[in-house]
Amino acid sequence: MGCVGDGTVVLRWRRHPSSVGLARLELRKSLAGWGLSALEDSAVLVLSELVTNAVRHARVPSGREIETRFLPMVPPKPSGLRIEVHDTSALRPRLRAAEPDACDGRGLLLVDALADEWGVADRVGVGKLVWALWRPTADGVEHGGGRCDI
């Protein structure tokens, strides 16, 4: 996999914790190439949470992989971004309040705070995709904190 005609970067990953760091590295390279480094901090953290969720919770059948897609949003030049994480599990993530002393359960709260929108959708074939979006801005300034109903 790799870059498709519209600039979308499509990559596949094993359901293994090492895939999270590798996916972050690929997103950083893509953002730099598109001139979207201003989105790096929030986009890399959101990607990390979404891929970690897929690695930990999506029971992907043997031979199936997690897929990521990075899509630059281009109104005369790239200034927005859409990230998608695809897996073959029908289990959909839910935004929930974590117990105060819990060690996990806060990932989607971060996604909700950092992305302009996010959600879950069906995908072609088996499973779902979880997406996060940073809308194009005229000044390239990063923003976030919107939520789409899942």
Side-chain angles (χ1 to χ4, degrees), residues 70-147:
F70 314 143
L71 301 82
M73 299 175 67
V74 187
K77 66 175 193 150
S79 64
L81 175 69
R82 180 177 167 110
I83 292 172
E84 298 178 359
V85 177
H86 298 238
D87 65 58
T88 57
S89 172
L91 181 65
R92 290 176 174 249
R94 297 180 299 116
L95 186 65
R96 61 185 171 91
E99 295 297 321
D101 56 351
C103 294
D104 60 4
R106 293 175 181 81
L108 290 179
L109 292 172
L110 290 171
V111 171
D112 189 57
L114 295 172
D116 289 330
E117 292 181 55
W118 70 276
V120 183
D122 293 329
R123 59 180 289 224
V124 175
V126 179
K128 65 175 175 304
L129 70 93
V130 183
W131 56 270
L133 174 74
W134 290 263
R135 284 186 209 92
T137 61
D139 56 8
V141 175
E142 165 179 6
H143 50 98
R147 178 165 183 272

Side-chain angles (χ1 to χ4, degrees), residues 13-29:
W13 311 97
R14 293 179 307 127
R15 194 176 150 258
H16 188 273
S18 65
S19 296
V20 179
L22 295 170
R24 285 192 305 250
L25 177 64
E26 292 299 326
L27 178 57
R28 282 187 180 103
K29 289 193 294 189

